[in-house]
Amino acid sequence: MQETRSTSLAAKPSHLGWFDDALLLGIMAVLAGCGLIYEYLLSHYAGRILGALEAAIYTMIGLMIVSMGLGAFAARKIRDAFTGFVILELTVALCGSLAILITAAVIGFGQQLPMLIASTLGLPPDQLPEGGVIGQLQKLSEYLPYVWGVLLGLMIGMEIPLIARVRQSLSDEHLLHNAGTIYGADYIGAGIGAAIWVGFMLAIDIQLAAALTASFNLLAGFVFIWRFWPKIRRPKLLLTGHLMVTGVLLVLATQGPQWERHFNNLLYKDKVIYSKATRFQQLTFTERLRGNGLPPIYALYINGRLQFSSIDEHIYHAFLVHPTLAASARHNKVLIIGGGDGLGLKQVLQWEPEQVTLLDLDAALVQLFKSTDTAMPDRLSRAMLALNGDAFNDPRVTVIHDDAFNGVDKLIATGVKYDAIIVDLPDPSHPDLNKLYSDYFYRKLKELMSNDGALTVQSTSPYHAQTAFISVAKTLALAGFDVKQYHHNVPSFGEWGWSIATLSGKDAQHRLAELNALPVKDDWLTLGLVNGAFEFPANFYRDAANIKPNELGSLQLYHYHLQAWSETQGLELF
């Protein structure tokens, strides 16, 4: 009876027209946008929350594309395209909305498992059960985003074949251009989805973004049920299922972000007291209470990676700034690239410059360190302003929000020259960051620097990423600088290194060696520590001749860095 009714309806031209066609193509475009957003959501979670290497983004997209291809083949096994499509969208909506939350819960529980076992067995803190089965479970849990990616990819891949079969069953007139028309709608929808992701969803909570995306899958199911009710088997049951999942999505949209943050917070040893998603990165602040009248220790994590700890950030920033300014002939105009927390800026202002320009991409990050944020706990906001000495509100400071690669070009166009340049960028752990460590970028900085000035680049760890560290120096040399490197231990990160470069006259190491004392007083840094930092083990540069500079487009440094940190499991990336 069902087949007879479907056949008779398909044969009636009254059930065919531009409205049904436009509706199906519109549904396909919406679903294409949702599919692309799911790809971004899952790779975004792996890259930001788990602190995974940014290569996870490309892995996720590749896995989902392959899975979509397999899903397209699997769609042939679905006999009833109308009913199958409704069930498919119901399943995609449920899985897409829950994927991030379930992943966060599993990973968070895995990180807490050693402490739960130790607490149950009464083990001391230095005897937490780690490694073995527990370590394997923790490692496996980090692959969950990819499992969801494959699952969603399979289902998303079924959507185009099913829509094509629905259009075909409604009218043979669509046979000639069926595939081309649907793929056109798919491509346009994917483009719109990408625009929505960049323009809106990047700045909202990731779980809320997942729930919103899933709601469009559910909406497509509702519209499909309404329009093709007679052709769907058990439509009332499926409608009830859609209504139930609607309730689930409402809960996930309102409570899900809070639950997800609680699960994510389990990844940090200290208490998470504030987190914020900006257009460019995930910011997480932690607090460790010490008692005995000692101030709390605050730390900032960006995309799951430690950016600084208040207990020892002064070591890193003193080494970043003071040798640079001490090696420069003048300190009137200083350029800082990166450093949106203002901690390096605070050190620069001790030199009484006339003007400091800070170039940082993320305006939301800078704002957190410039003024109190009502969403941020008051004690944290006050602590951050105290930590950077309220440096951003100094009248000598100009902040430019732009991508460093393009922002430097705009500075060059003004003809300005800087007495010192400090480059405090994240490690080259992504191809987009790699270009900011290229010979081409350093040649741009060369145009901005006075001939008797100095430039310093944070250069990752010489201990954990020795090849990448040396490559930074060779790249600066290729750009025409006289380069020296130095290093020191920063407890929160381990051994860390910097490259300091000059254009003419004596190199920076010799300039610093001629000083009797640092021109500015620092409670921790001494001239002896600075001069000693240029010493490396006798065999440190033994293989330097085989290490290549990072020419623009080569991704050489990115691969050096990726290989080094991939071999060093469990270490934080800066």
Side-chain angles (χ1 to χ4, degrees):
M1 179 65 70
Q2 178 70 30
E3 292 180 0
T4 303
R5 181 175 61 175
S6 299
T7 303
S8 63
L9 286 171
K12 294 180 181 180
S14 58
H15 288 274
L16 174 67
W18 66 267
F19 180 78
D20 284 338
D21 201 23
L23 182 68
L24 289 172
L25 293 177
I27 288 175
M28 191 64 253
V30 169
L31 298 183
C34 291
L36 191 72
I37 291 174
Y38 285 132
E39 291 182 15
Y40 291 156
L41 277 171
L42 291 168
S43 57
H44 177 79
Y45 183 83
R48 283 194 173 191
I49 307 301
L50 301 181
L53 293 169
E54 278 77 357
I57 296 174
Y58 308 111
T59 302
M60 179 67 70
I61 293 175
L63 282 174
M64 289 193 71
I65 289 175
V66 172
S67 300
M68 288 163 63
L70 296 175
F73 285 115
R76 295 181 298 180
K77 300 295 183 181
I78 300 176
R79 295 182 179 180
D80 184 346
F82 288 89
T83 305
F85 180 80
V86 176
I87 295 174
L88 180 67
E89 292 314 304
L90 184 63
T91 308
V92 171
L94 195 59
C95 290
S97 62
L98 288 171
I100 299 296
L101 192 62
I102 292 175
T103 301
V106 172
I107 293 174
F109 175 76
Q111 294 298 318
Q112 291 295 306
L113 187 58
M115 285 176 275
L116 291 173
I117 295 174
S119 177
T120 302
L121 300 179
L123 299 176
D126 60 345
Q127 293 185 18
L128 291 179
E130 297 177 337
V133 176
I134 294 176
Q136 291 178 358
L137 289 174
Q138 291 174 335
K139 192 65 181 176
L140 286 173
S141 69
E142 296 181 6
Y143 290 96
L144 263 182
Y146 304 114
V147 174
W148 285 113
V150 170
L151 181 61
L152 284 168
L154 287 170
M155 292 188 289
I156 292 169
M158 297 179 184
E159 291 171 341
I160 289 180
L162 290 180
I163 289 290
R165 285 166 56 186
V166 167
R167 291 183 78 227
Q168 180 177 332
S169 69
L170 291 176
S171 173
D172 287 343
E173 293 176 9
H174 291 296
L175 282 174
L176 183 60
H177 302 294
N178 195 9
T181 305
I182 290 177
Y183 276 111
D186 181 77
Y187 295 148
I188 293 172
I192 295 172
I196 292 173
W197 171 259
V198 173
F200 171 64
M201 289 190 170
L202 265 176
I204 67 174
D205 185 274
I206 192 170
Q207 178 57 45
L208 176 59
L212 289 175
T213 305
S215 68
F216 281 92
N217 287 103
L218 207 60
L219 179 61
F222 273 121
V223 172
F224 198 88
I225 291 173
W226 162 73
R227 187 61 184 171
F228 303 110
W229 182 281
K231 295 179 174 293
I232 300 170
R233 296 177 183 175
R234 299 183 179 179
K236 292 182 179 180
L237 179 62
L238 291 174
L239 181 60
T240 302
H242 276 64
L243 292 173
M244 292 175 64
V245 174
T246 298
V248 172
L249 291 184
L250 288 173
V251 173
L252 291 176
T254 55
Q255 301 299 320
Q258 182 180 355
W259 294 342
E260 183 232 340
R261 283 194 293 270
H262 286 323
F263 291 136
N264 290 336
N265 292 349
L266 297 176
L267 299 175
Y268 301 92
K269 292 182 179 180
D270 296 333
K271 181 181 179 181
V272 174
I273 58 173
Y274 181 70
S275 60
K276 179 183 179 68
T278 74
R279 282 178 53 82
F280 306 104
Q281 49 204 356
Q282 177 72 34
L283 311 177
T284 303
F285 292 85
T286 65
E287 179 185 56
R288 185 193 313 163
L289 300 178
R290 295 189 288 174
N292 298 322
L294 296 173
I297 297 174
Y298 294 102
L300 169 63
Y301 292 81
I302 295 183
N303 296 346
R305 300 169 182 173
L306 182 63
Q307 182 72 11
F308 71 77
S309 172
S310 62
I311 197 171
D312 58 15
E313 62 79 19
H314 65 281
I315 300 177
Y316 171 85
H317 290 101
F319 264 102
L320 174 71
V321 171
H322 296 318
T324 316
L325 275 295
S328 302
R330 294 176 305 280
H331 322 108
N332 296 330
K333 291 185 178 181
V334 180
L335 173 64
I336 302 174
I337 299 176
D341 49 33
L343 299 175
L345 176 60
K346 173 187 175 182
Q347 301 288 350
V348 169
L349 291 176
Q350 293 184 45
W351 291 79
E352 297 297 334
E354 295 177 1
Q355 176 187 338
V356 183
T357 301
L358 187 141
L359 176 62
D360 193 280
L361 177 64
D362 198 341
L365 169 64
V366 172
Q367 192 61 37
L368 289 178
F369 288 88
K370 183 178 182 180
S371 62
T372 56
D373 189 316
T374 54
M376 179 184 281
D378 185 59
R379 67 185 187 279
L380 175 62
S381 186
R382 285 187 281 106
M384 294 302 100
L385 291 176
L387 199 61
N388 71 7
D390 199 19
F392 283 115
N393 292 305
D394 191 296
R396 296 169 291 177
V397 176
T398 300
V399 179
I400 300 173
H401 297 298
D402 202 345
D403 172 74
F405 204 77
N406 299 322
V408 163
D409 286 335
K410 296 174 183 177
L411 291 175
I412 292 173
T414 66
V416 65
K417 292 286 185 179
Y418 293 97
D419 301 314
I421 299 177
I422 296 166
V423 184
D424 189 17
L425 293 169
D427 274 5
S429 56
H430 187 282
D432 286 342
L433 286 168
N434 182 81
K435 67 183 181 182
L436 300 178
Y437 287 82
S438 67
D439 61 327
Y440 185 73
F441 183 69
Y442 293 149
R443 287 190 176 97
K444 290 184 179 185
L445 298 185
K446 187 177 175 182
E447 293 186 49
L448 286 172
M449 196 172 84
S450 300
N451 280 337
D452 53 3
L455 174 150
T456 294
V457 178
Q458 90 79 11
S459 305
T460 195
S461 171
Y463 180 79
H464 299 297
Q466 179 180 354
T467 304
F469 176 76
I470 296 174
S471 180
V472 173
K474 298 195 75 170
T475 307
L476 282 164
L478 181 63
F481 289 97
D482 190 349
V483 188
K484 294 293 180 180
Q485 293 188 291
Y486 60 102
H487 64 110
H488 196 77
N489 182 267
V490 182
S492 294
F493 305 116
E495 198 70 17
W496 214 258
W498 302 264
S499 302
I500 186 166
T502 53
L503 286 175
S504 61
K506 295 181 179 180
D507 60 54
Q509 183 178 1
H510 283 91
R511 295 183 190 183
L512 293 167
E514 292 177 350
L515 298 177
N516 296 319
L518 285 176
V520 297
K521 184 179 180 181
D522 190 90
D523 292 335
W524 181 84
L525 187 65
T526 67
L527 185 60
L529 285 175
V530 172
N531 289 327
F534 287 92
E535 289 295 323
F536 285 87
N539 63 351
F540 185 81
Y541 290 98
R542 180 178 54 193
D543 298 325
N546 299 321
I547 298 174
K548 298 178 181 178
N550 186 41
E551 298 182 71
L552 183 65
S554 70
L555 294 180
Q556 186 64 65
L557 184 60
Y558 166 70
H559 291 301
Y560 282 149
H561 185 272
L562 179 66
Q563 180 181 3
W565 286 104
S566 296
E567 293 171 355
T568 312
Q569 300 297 324
L571 292 173
E572 294 286 356
L573 300 187
F574 187 63

